[in-house]
Amino acid sequence: LSAEKRMTTEDKVQLPRLYLTWFSAPTHTREDAVMSVLGQILGRGKNSRLFKALQYDRQIAQTASSTEQGMEIAGLFQVEVTAKPDRNLTEIETAVDSVIGNLLEHGVTVKEIEKAVNSAEVQVVNGAATVLGKATNLARFYSYTGNPANINSQLELYSGITPEEVLAAAKKFLTQPRMVLSVVPLGKPELAAKKGE
């Protein structure tokens, strides 16, 4: 993407939802792990920055989350927010941009990173808890890295992640052009996110 792209779609939904998506790091790389940590800090759980700002402080969103999805050549980092009734997505986008802007200016804390890394470790362990999980992960590591034994080194990607690394990755990816998708109830295109309003 050379410039930000915007799209609105109407659907049989009760509340509008905003998706902000950036290109990100390829899977099974240190940058992918760092962006996963960033995703947890921004949008996973009641202590996440998006939850605090949009759901608790401003009370303008029903849900707010962010995730990193590393893929073979590049990944996607996505923020997803469902607005509360009578809220529009321009307001939501402005609030998300404020949270991200604060992070880009002030960075993250060691405590936030530790919590995110612990959560990632739990996901890795739980992903290998069943025979199907082990088989799926072995196949995935073979496909993406050429060596299924790399499954044993996936936690090493999270080792020693620093606030400086998280901030550098955030600046690298979240300052690039993004895709802005507004999903609004049928007949209510005015609820879509509009640039510069």
Side-chain angles (χ1 to χ4, degrees):
L1 292 176
S2 58
E4 178 178 274
K5 305 290 184 194
R6 289 183 171 265
M7 188 172 146
T8 300
T9 184
E10 295 180 34
D11 204 346
K12 294 178 182 176
V13 296
Q14 292 184 339
L15 298 171
R17 180 174 289 169
L18 179 69
Y19 296 89
L20 303 174
T21 307
W22 294 262
F23 283 117
S24 185
T27 191
H28 306 306
T29 62
R30 175 69 169 203
E31 277 189 327
D32 180 43
V34 171
M35 289 301 288
S36 292
V37 165
L38 176 61
Q40 300 242 1
I41 291 169
L42 270 177
R44 181 159 182 171
K46 293 186 177 182
N47 290 319
S48 71
R49 293 187 180 201
L50 288 172
F51 179 91
K52 286 179 186 174
L54 278 68
Q55 291 174 256
Y56 183 74
D57 293 340
R58 299 182 195 184
Q59 298 186 9
I60 59 174
Q62 294 280 93
T63 64
S65 64
S66 61
T67 56
E68 161 72 3
Q69 183 182 358
M71 293 179 276
E72 190 170 4
I73 297 171
L76 296 174
F77 187 87
Q78 187 170 73
V79 172
E80 178 183 320
V81 183
T82 303
K84 281 200 168 191
D86 302 320
R87 299 292 185 168
N88 68 62
L89 297 180
T90 302
E91 178 184 23
I92 298 291
E93 183 180 9
T94 300
V96 170
D97 285 343
S98 174
V99 171
I100 291 172
N102 182 276
L103 186 143
L104 292 172
E105 185 175 342
H106 300 291
V108 300
T109 66
V110 170
K111 186 175 180 181
E112 286 177 312
I113 291 171
E114 287 172 353
K115 185 174 180 188
V117 168
N118 288 341
S119 180
E121 289 175 351
V122 167
Q123 287 177 345
V124 167
V125 170
N126 287 344
T130 65
V131 173
L132 177 60
K134 287 181 187 89
T136 301
N137 281 322
L138 286 168
R140 193 176 82 231
F141 274 89
Y142 178 72
S143 293
Y144 286 122
T145 70
N147 185 354
N150 285 337
I151 192 172
N152 297 318
S153 62
Q154 60 187 315
L155 288 178
E156 292 171 18
L157 293 172
Y158 292 90
S159 178
I161 291 176
T162 65
E164 293 77 18
E165 270 186 290
V166 175
L167 182 57
K171 286 181 176 178
K172 177 178 180 179
F173 295 111
L174 301 188
T175 59
Q176 297 301 312
R178 65 188 180 191
M179 176 68 192
V180 180
L181 172 62
S182 298
V183 179
V184 298
L186 291 171
K188 297 198 175 182
E190 69 277 6
L191 295 178
K194 294 172 182 64
K195 188 170 185 160
E197 290 186 20

